[in-house]
Amino acid sequence: MTVVATSRDLGPAPEPALARDLAKRGVLFAPPALLLCAAGWGADGLASGGYALALVLVNFLAAAWMLSTAARISYGFLMGAALFGFLLRLGLVSAAVLLVKDAAWVEPVALGLTLIVSHLGLLFWELRYVSISLAHPGLHPTPKETSSR
């Protein structure tokens, strides 16, 4: 009998691949988002949008690292990392925003909109590329990967 709290996953982790794919899409998303911020709020909007995009991408990469590392320790630890890691990362993003909220270059509306829209937009964009299958966890396999099996 396998105990969930002591079982662990030693296979390949799909989380880093998903986070790298999200980061690539974030780089594609950045120019139009930053242009909109610059058009709406000038140089301060551009700086605020860039800061927000950096926070979003670091947040996604940190989530992937935490989950893939926790899965190698135990499934119980993975569950804790998923819940408390989210709360920790939410706190860190909040602290990062609160640290700069009074800076001269910060445009609060541009910062807030970019944080929210880029988090949700990148997640919904990534849904098209994620495989919800135990046969191919992570990203959809490319035709080359499926023909070799």
Side-chain angles (χ1 to χ4, degrees), residues 36-52 97 100-115:
L36 282 172
C37 288
W41 297 278
D44 291 344
L46 179 68
S48 298
Y51 185 71
V97 170
V100 299
K101 73 177 175 68
D102 294 325
W105 57 268
V106 172
E107 182 57 51
V109 176
L111 179 67
L113 280 175
T114 306
L115 268 174

Side-chain angles (χ1 to χ4, degrees), residues 85-142:
F86 171 74
L87 295 174
L88 173 69
R89 288 180 295 104
L90 182 65
L92 289 174
V93 168
S94 299
V97 170
L98 289 173
L99 282 173
V100 299
K101 73 177 175 68
D102 294 325
W105 57 268
V106 172
E107 182 57 51
V109 176
L111 179 67
L113 280 175
T114 306
L115 268 174
I116 293 166
V117 171
S118 59
H119 262 110
L120 294 176
L122 287 171
L123 286 173
F124 280 109
W125 191 4
E126 189 68 14
L127 280 175
R128 299 184 61 214
Y129 302 97
V130 174
S131 172
I132 309 296
S133 163
L134 292 176
H136 300 285
L139 297 172
H140 281 294
T142 61

Side-chain angles (χ1 to χ4, degrees), residues 9-117:
D9 187 358
L10 297 176
E15 298 90 356
L18 289 170
R20 281 191 302 275
D21 199 54
L22 267 168
K24 286 179 197 174
R25 293 185 205 299
V27 170
L28 294 174
F29 175 77
L34 293 176
L35 281 174
L36 282 172
C37 288
W41 297 278
D44 291 344
L46 179 68
S48 298
Y51 185 71
L53 282 170
L55 285 176
V56 168
L57 296 179
V58 167
N59 186 29
F60 285 142
L61 293 170
W65 176 80
M66 290 173 74
L67 293 175
S68 62
T69 302
R72 294 194 181 285
I73 296 169
S74 77
Y75 290 137
F77 197 68
L78 173 64
M79 290 181 238
L83 173 62
F84 296 109
F86 171 74
L87 295 174
L88 173 69
R89 288 180 295 104
L90 182 65
L92 289 174
V93 168
S94 299
V97 170
L98 289 173
L99 282 173
V100 299
K101 73 177 175 68
D102 294 325
W105 57 268
V106 172
E107 182 57 51
V109 176
L111 179 67
L113 280 175
T114 306
L115 268 174
I116 293 166
V117 171

